[in-house]
Amino acid sequence: MNHRARKRFGQNFLVDGNVIDRIVASIAPRPGERIVEIGPGREAITGPLIDAGADLAVVEIDRDLAASLRQRRPKLEVVCEDALSVDFSALSSGRRWRLVGNLPYNISTPLLFHVLGQHEPPADMHFMLQKEVVDRMTAAPGGGDYGRLSLACQNLAVVTPLFQVGPEAFDPRPKVDSAVVRLEPRANPLVPAAHQAAFDRLVLKAFSMRRKTLRNSLKGLVDDDGFQAAGVDPGARPETISLDAFARLAANGLL
Ligand code: SAM
């Protein structure tokens, strides 16, 4: 296919057959299943998904790529739009659906929250992302990767890192390592909707000063009684505090 990779659309096309096979095996598509793919590009994952009999729709921002897909695959549902503004619930038309994509790195985090915030979130998602982003999404308390992204993702979904992919699997090669991750949205987020705003404020404040103790960084939001009621040590640093403990702090009400 005669298409020059466009940097502004994060176009690094997968060319390693083994990696493509591993991604498709992780997705394990079943015939007739509704799957939406973001950024089909040159069909690296698209082709095998169609071959597996999936009921596929693709969202591609690049008009040239979308046009050649339509030409080669007249039966494929091709939406030529920015995935950040697509109403995915409409695309799934009320059916169970799954989402996959080798995502452009520049839009990965906003896209994640756009999708997780949909009225009818997908049953699961498989994404290739920058490895560093996957490390932050899946981090447990206690290390430097743990922070707002870990808490926000793990509140909404079960997040499982699958495998790492080196730059040589792509053309052109990206400057960073990549990784494939699975997200399974929870039926109910761990933080109840009524406490979500308080939780967001706490996490934002705590991690904007991650070297400080919670007593210092949350001054004005939580007092000693609040820490005691939540069973959280005010002398601890935010990166040691579990999602559950942040949820308890939020549930105890802010000052
Ligand atoms: N799936 C292909 C593969 O694995 O080789 C292409 C992956 S490439 C990293 C990202 C793809 O997403 C490109 O086809 C690009 O044009 C498309 N893309 C970039 N930004 C997009 C957006 N905002 N909405 C939809 N597609 C986008």
Side-chain angles (χ1 to χ4, degrees), residues 15-253:
V15 290
D16 181 328
N18 288 329
V19 172
I20 294 169
D21 288 349
R22 281 185 85 183
I23 294 176
V24 176
S26 306
I27 300 168
R30 284 186 294 270
E33 222 174 26
R34 183 60 163 168
I35 301 186
V36 177
E37 183 189 3
I38 300 172
R42 297 176 182 158
E43 292 193 27
I45 311 172
T46 321
L49 291 177
I50 294 173
D51 294 344
D55 172 17
L56 191 69
V58 298
V59 179
E60 174 57 66
I61 198 170
D62 185 315
R63 283 188 200 176
D64 296 335
L65 286 176
S68 53
L69 266 168
R70 283 186 178 123
Q71 206 172 30
R72 281 196 312 274
R73 308 261 189 194
K75 287 194 199 136
L76 179 64
E77 199 176 332
V78 179
V79 179
C80 185
E81 262 183 59
D82 182 344
L84 280 174
S85 51
V86 166
D87 176 0
F88 287 97
S89 314
L91 258 186
S92 63
S93 48
R95 293 167 53 195
R96 178 185 187 275
W97 68 292
R98 308 177 69 195
L99 184 64
V100 305
N102 170 8
L103 296 185
Y105 299 133
N106 50 338
I107 66 157
S108 58
T109 326
L111 188 70
L112 217 56
F113 291 103
H114 174 62
V115 172
L116 285 168
Q118 297 276 313
H119 188 55
E120 302 274 352
D124 62 17
M125 303 179 240
H126 289 81
F127 292 139
M128 167 100 74
L129 298 168
Q130 198 168 331
K131 179 181 175 291
E132 180 240 313
V133 174
V134 172
D135 288 345
R136 288 196 285 128
M137 287 166 67
T138 55
D145 288 331
Y146 183 70
R148 288 176 63 199
L149 188 64
S150 333
L151 287 159
C153 289
Q154 294 168 30
N155 177 36
L156 297 173
V158 176
V159 193
T160 314
L162 296 181
F163 54 91
Q164 214 175 306
V165 180
E168 63 285 350
F170 301 87
D171 179 33
R173 294 181 177 199
K175 290 197 179 70
V176 294
D177 280 328
S178 306
V180 178
V181 65
R182 175 185 294 137
L183 290 102
E184 296 159 283
R186 301 181 191 279
N188 295 301
L190 297 180
V191 178
H195 302 154
Q196 185 67 49
F199 176 84
D200 290 344
R201 276 184 74 194
L202 282 175
V203 171
L204 178 67
K205 208 129 189 243
F207 283 96
S208 60
M209 294 176 260
R210 60 187 301 150
R211 307 308 309 161
K212 292 198 175 176
T213 64
L214 292 177
R215 180 184 284 113
N216 281 331
S217 58
L218 299 182
K219 202 166 267 172
L221 283 181
V222 183
D223 62 12
D224 280 351
D225 290 344
F227 283 114
Q228 200 174 16
V232 173
D233 172 9
R237 296 230 172 99
E239 65 194 32
T240 65
I241 303 299
S242 68
L243 171 56
D244 239 29
F246 273 115
R248 289 199 305 275
L249 279 173
N252 276 287

